[in-house]
mmCIF file of all heavy atoms in Angstrom:
data_model
loop_
_atom_site.group_PDB
_atom_site.id
_atom_site.type_symbol
_atom_site.label_atom_id
_atom_site.label_comp_id
_atom_site.label_asym_id
_atom_site.label_seq_id
_atom_site.Cartn_x
_atom_site.Cartn_y
_atom_site.Cartn_z
ATOM 1 N N VAL G 1 -3.102 -7.605 2.370
ATOM 2 C CA VAL G 1 -2.620 -8.821 1.701
ATOM 3 C C VAL G 1 -1.898 -9.750 2.669
ATOM 4 O O VAL G 1 -1.244 -10.704 2.260
ATOM 5 C CB VAL G 1 -1.700 -8.468 0.516
ATOM 6 C CG1 VAL G 1 -2.447 -7.657 -0.531
ATOM 7 C CG2 VAL G 1 -0.449 -7.713 0.997
ATOM 8 N N GLY G 2 -2.003 -9.446 3.972
ATOM 9 C CA GLY G 2 -1.377 -10.305 4.967
ATOM 10 C C GLY G 2 0.105 -10.064 5.145
ATOM 11 O O GLY G 2 0.835 -10.947 5.607
ATOM 12 N N ALA G 3 0.566 -8.864 4.798
ATOM 13 C CA ALA G 3 1.996 -8.560 4.887
ATOM 14 C C ALA G 3 2.386 -8.060 6.272
ATOM 15 O O ALA G 3 1.562 -7.524 7.021
ATOM 16 C CB ALA G 3 2.370 -7.514 3.838
ATOM 17 N N TYR G 4 3.662 -8.233 6.582
ATOM 18 C CA TYR G 4 4.233 -7.775 7.847
ATOM 19 C C TYR G 4 5.604 -7.184 7.547
ATOM 20 O O TYR G 4 6.472 -7.856 6.985
ATOM 21 C CB TYR G 4 4.368 -8.946 8.813
ATOM 22 C CG TYR G 4 5.111 -8.619 10.104
ATOM 23 C CD1 TYR G 4 4.494 -7.903 11.120
ATOM 24 C CD2 TYR G 4 6.422 -9.069 10.307
ATOM 25 C CE1 TYR G 4 5.165 -7.610 12.291
ATOM 26 C CE2 TYR G 4 7.103 -8.780 11.481
ATOM 27 C CZ TYR G 4 6.476 -8.054 12.477
ATOM 28 O OH TYR G 4 7.143 -7.770 13.640
ATOM 29 N N PHE G 5 5.798 -5.907 7.894
ATOM 30 C CA PHE G 5 7.060 -5.230 7.602
ATOM 31 C C PHE G 5 7.248 -4.135 8.637
ATOM 32 O O PHE G 5 6.807 -2.998 8.456
ATOM 33 C CB PHE G 5 7.033 -4.640 6.191
ATOM 34 C CG PHE G 5 8.375 -4.192 5.687
ATOM 35 C CD1 PHE G 5 9.327 -5.109 5.265
ATOM 36 C CD2 PHE G 5 8.688 -2.837 5.629
ATOM 37 C CE1 PHE G 5 10.566 -4.693 4.800
ATOM 38 C CE2 PHE G 5 9.919 -2.402 5.162
ATOM 39 C CZ PHE G 5 10.865 -3.341 4.745
ATOM 40 N N PRO G 6 7.894 -4.444 9.769
ATOM 41 C CA PRO G 6 7.993 -3.489 10.886
ATOM 42 C C PRO G 6 9.088 -2.437 10.701
ATOM 43 O O PRO G 6 10.093 -2.426 11.390
ATOM 44 C CB PRO G 6 8.301 -4.406 12.072
ATOM 45 C CG PRO G 6 9.101 -5.518 11.463
ATOM 46 C CD PRO G 6 8.524 -5.734 10.097
ATOM 47 N N HIS G 7 8.859 -1.534 9.740
ATOM 48 C CA HIS G 7 9.852 -0.498 9.451
ATOM 49 C C HIS G 7 9.160 0.805 9.063
ATOM 50 O O HIS G 7 7.991 0.814 8.683
ATOM 51 C CB HIS G 7 10.779 -0.948 8.309
ATOM 52 C CG HIS G 7 11.566 -2.180 8.613
ATOM 53 N ND1 HIS G 7 12.688 -2.180 9.409
ATOM 54 C CD2 HIS G 7 11.359 -3.475 8.238
ATOM 55 C CE1 HIS G 7 13.159 -3.409 9.510
ATOM 56 N NE2 HIS G 7 12.377 -4.206 8.811
ATOM 57 N N ARG G 8 9.920 1.893 9.135
ATOM 58 C CA ARG G 8 9.441 3.197 8.692
ATOM 59 C C ARG G 8 9.729 3.335 7.200
ATOM 60 O O ARG G 8 10.892 3.227 6.781
ATOM 61 C CB ARG G 8 10.120 4.328 9.466
ATOM 62 C CG ARG G 8 9.935 4.270 10.975
ATOM 63 C CD ARG G 8 10.504 5.504 11.666
ATOM 64 N NE ARG G 8 11.872 5.798 11.250
ATOM 65 C CZ ARG G 8 12.952 5.207 11.739
ATOM 66 N NH1 ARG G 8 12.837 4.260 12.673
ATOM 67 N NH2 ARG G 8 14.157 5.540 11.316
ATOM 68 N N VAL G 9 8.691 3.585 6.416
ATOM 69 C CA VAL G 9 8.882 3.697 4.977
ATOM 70 C C VAL G 9 8.237 4.971 4.457
ATOM 71 O O VAL G 9 7.333 5.531 5.077
ATOM 72 C CB VAL G 9 8.305 2.478 4.216
ATOM 73 C CG1 VAL G 9 8.776 1.167 4.828
ATOM 74 C CG2 VAL G 9 6.783 2.520 4.193
ATOM 75 N N THR G 10 8.722 5.413 3.309
ATOM 76 C CA THR G 10 8.099 6.519 2.605
ATOM 77 C C THR G 10 7.913 6.084 1.157
ATOM 78 O O THR G 10 8.703 5.306 0.628
ATOM 79 C CB THR G 10 8.928 7.814 2.712
ATOM 80 O OG1 THR G 10 8.149 8.925 2.252
ATOM 81 C CG2 THR G 10 10.229 7.732 1.928
ATOM 82 N N TYR G 11 6.853 6.571 0.529
ATOM 83 C CA TYR G 11 6.474 6.092 -0.799
ATOM 84 C C TYR G 11 6.645 7.175 -1.856
ATOM 85 O O TYR G 11 6.165 8.308 -1.700
ATOM 86 C CB TYR G 11 5.016 5.613 -0.782
ATOM 87 C CG TYR G 11 4.476 5.294 -2.148
ATOM 88 C CD1 TYR G 11 4.873 4.144 -2.825
ATOM 89 C CD2 TYR G 11 3.567 6.150 -2.773
ATOM 90 C CE1 TYR G 11 4.389 3.854 -4.091
ATOM 91 C CE2 TYR G 11 3.069 5.868 -4.040
ATOM 92 C CZ TYR G 11 3.485 4.720 -4.693
ATOM 93 O OH TYR G 11 3.008 4.448 -5.947
ATOM 94 N N HIS G 12 7.318 6.815 -2.952
ATOM 95 C CA HIS G 12 7.462 7.715 -4.102
ATOM 96 C C HIS G 12 6.532 7.267 -5.219
ATOM 97 O O HIS G 12 6.696 6.174 -5.766
ATOM 98 C CB HIS G 12 8.908 7.702 -4.611
ATOM 99 C CG HIS G 12 9.065 8.321 -5.978
ATOM 100 N ND1 HIS G 12 8.704 9.628 -6.231
ATOM 101 C CD2 HIS G 12 9.532 7.803 -7.155
ATOM 102 C CE1 HIS G 12 8.956 9.895 -7.520
ATOM 103 N NE2 HIS G 12 9.437 8.807 -8.092
ATOM 104 N N PRO G 13 5.523 8.082 -5.587
ATOM 105 C CA PRO G 13 4.628 7.728 -6.694
ATOM 106 C C PRO G 13 5.298 8.051 -8.026
ATOM 107 O O PRO G 13 5.502 9.215 -8.360
ATOM 108 C CB PRO G 13 3.400 8.617 -6.449
ATOM 109 C CG PRO G 13 3.940 9.813 -5.732
ATOM 110 C CD PRO G 13 5.135 9.343 -4.932
ATOM 111 N N THR G 14 5.665 7.041 -8.765
ATOM 112 C CA THR G 14 6.386 7.258 -10.018
ATOM 113 C C THR G 14 5.497 7.938 -11.056
ATOM 114 O O THR G 14 4.276 7.804 -11.032
ATOM 115 C CB THR G 14 6.914 5.927 -10.575
ATOM 116 O OG1 THR G 14 5.820 5.077 -10.892
ATOM 117 C CG2 THR G 14 7.793 5.228 -9.539
ATOM 118 N N CYS G 15 6.120 8.637 -11.980
ATOM 119 C CA CYS G 15 5.375 9.485 -12.915
ATOM 120 C C CYS G 15 4.357 8.715 -13.743
ATOM 121 O O CYS G 15 3.205 9.138 -13.884
ATOM 122 C CB CYS G 15 6.347 10.208 -13.845
ATOM 123 S SG CYS G 15 7.296 11.517 -13.043
ATOM 124 N N HIS G 16 4.777 7.609 -14.346
ATOM 125 C CA HIS G 16 3.847 6.879 -15.209
ATOM 126 C C HIS G 16 2.697 6.265 -14.426
ATOM 127 O O HIS G 16 1.557 6.230 -14.906
ATOM 128 C CB HIS G 16 4.599 5.799 -15.993
ATOM 129 C CG HIS G 16 5.341 6.349 -17.166
ATOM 130 N ND1 HIS G 16 6.153 5.588 -17.963
ATOM 131 C CD2 HIS G 16 5.402 7.608 -17.675
ATOM 132 C CE1 HIS G 16 6.671 6.344 -18.926
ATOM 133 N NE2 HIS G 16 6.227 7.574 -18.757
ATOM 134 N N SER G 17 2.981 5.774 -13.233
ATOM 135 C CA SER G 17 1.895 5.207 -12.432
ATOM 136 C C SER G 17 0.929 6.302 -11.990
ATOM 137 O O SER G 17 -0.288 6.095 -11.967
ATOM 138 C CB SER G 17 2.446 4.458 -11.215
ATOM 139 O OG SER G 17 3.081 5.349 -10.318
ATOM 140 N N LEU G 18 1.471 7.454 -11.677
ATOM 141 C CA LEU G 18 0.642 8.552 -11.173
ATOM 142 C C LEU G 18 -0.125 9.246 -12.288
ATOM 143 O O LEU G 18 -1.333 9.492 -12.171
ATOM 144 C CB LEU G 18 1.537 9.564 -10.451
ATOM 145 C CG LEU G 18 0.847 10.730 -9.754
ATOM 146 C CD1 LEU G 18 0.025 10.232 -8.580
ATOM 147 C CD2 LEU G 18 1.889 11.747 -9.276
ATOM 148 N N ARG G 19 0.576 9.545 -13.396
ATOM 149 C CA ARG G 19 -0.022 10.378 -14.439
ATOM 150 C C ARG G 19 -0.590 9.576 -15.609
ATOM 151 O O ARG G 19 -1.654 9.900 -16.124
ATOM 152 C CB ARG G 19 1.027 11.374 -14.952
ATOM 153 C CG ARG G 19 1.487 12.343 -13.864
ATOM 154 C CD ARG G 19 2.629 13.234 -14.315
ATOM 155 N NE ARG G 19 2.945 14.216 -13.302
ATOM 156 C CZ ARG G 19 3.774 14.010 -12.284
ATOM 157 N NH1 ARG G 19 4.376 12.827 -12.154
ATOM 158 N NH2 ARG G 19 4.020 14.952 -11.398
ATOM 159 N N MET G 20 0.115 8.556 -16.054
ATOM 160 C CA MET G 20 -0.352 7.787 -17.207
ATOM 161 C C MET G 20 -1.421 6.769 -16.825
ATOM 162 O O MET G 20 -2.412 6.590 -17.532
ATOM 163 C CB MET G 20 0.817 7.086 -17.893
ATOM 164 C CG MET G 20 0.434 6.351 -19.165
ATOM 165 S SD MET G 20 1.860 5.583 -19.994
ATOM 166 C CE MET G 20 2.612 7.025 -20.756
ATOM 167 N N LEU G 21 -1.220 6.091 -15.685
ATOM 168 C CA LEU G 21 -2.168 5.065 -15.265
ATOM 169 C C LEU G 21 -3.202 5.582 -14.275
ATOM 170 O O LEU G 21 -4.282 5.014 -14.151
ATOM 171 C CB LEU G 21 -1.415 3.884 -14.633
ATOM 172 C CG LEU G 21 -0.463 3.122 -15.543
ATOM 173 C CD1 LEU G 21 0.170 1.965 -14.779
ATOM 174 C CD2 LEU G 21 -1.167 2.611 -16.785
ATOM 175 N N GLY G 22 -2.862 6.605 -13.515
ATOM 176 C CA GLY G 22 -3.801 7.135 -12.539
ATOM 177 C C GLY G 22 -4.059 6.187 -11.382
ATOM 178 O O GLY G 22 -5.209 6.031 -10.961
ATOM 179 N N VAL G 23 -3.002 5.549 -10.855
ATOM 180 C CA VAL G 23 -3.210 4.578 -9.771
ATOM 181 C C VAL G 23 -3.634 5.245 -8.469
ATOM 182 O O VAL G 23 -4.129 4.582 -7.550
ATOM 183 C CB VAL G 23 -1.945 3.716 -9.522
ATOM 184 C CG1 VAL G 23 -1.552 2.952 -10.765
ATOM 185 C CG2 VAL G 23 -0.785 4.563 -9.006
ATOM 186 N N GLY G 24 -3.451 6.554 -8.368
ATOM 187 C CA GLY G 24 -3.923 7.270 -7.188
ATOM 188 C C GLY G 24 -3.326 6.761 -5.900
ATOM 189 O O GLY G 24 -2.120 6.551 -5.794
#
């Protein structure tokens, strides 16, 4: 999407997004 963010990040998949919506 043309983003720039020069940092170390970690991602938490929230329950509803992961289980209810299945965003994968």
Side-chain angles (χ1 to χ4, degrees):
V1 299
Y4 173 76
F5 193 75
H7 298 282
R8 302 186 310 278
V9 311
T10 192
Y11 171 73
H12 166 59
T14 63
C15 288
H16 281 176
S17 66
L18 185 67
R19 297 174 175 86
M20 184 178 283
L21 297 182
V23 301

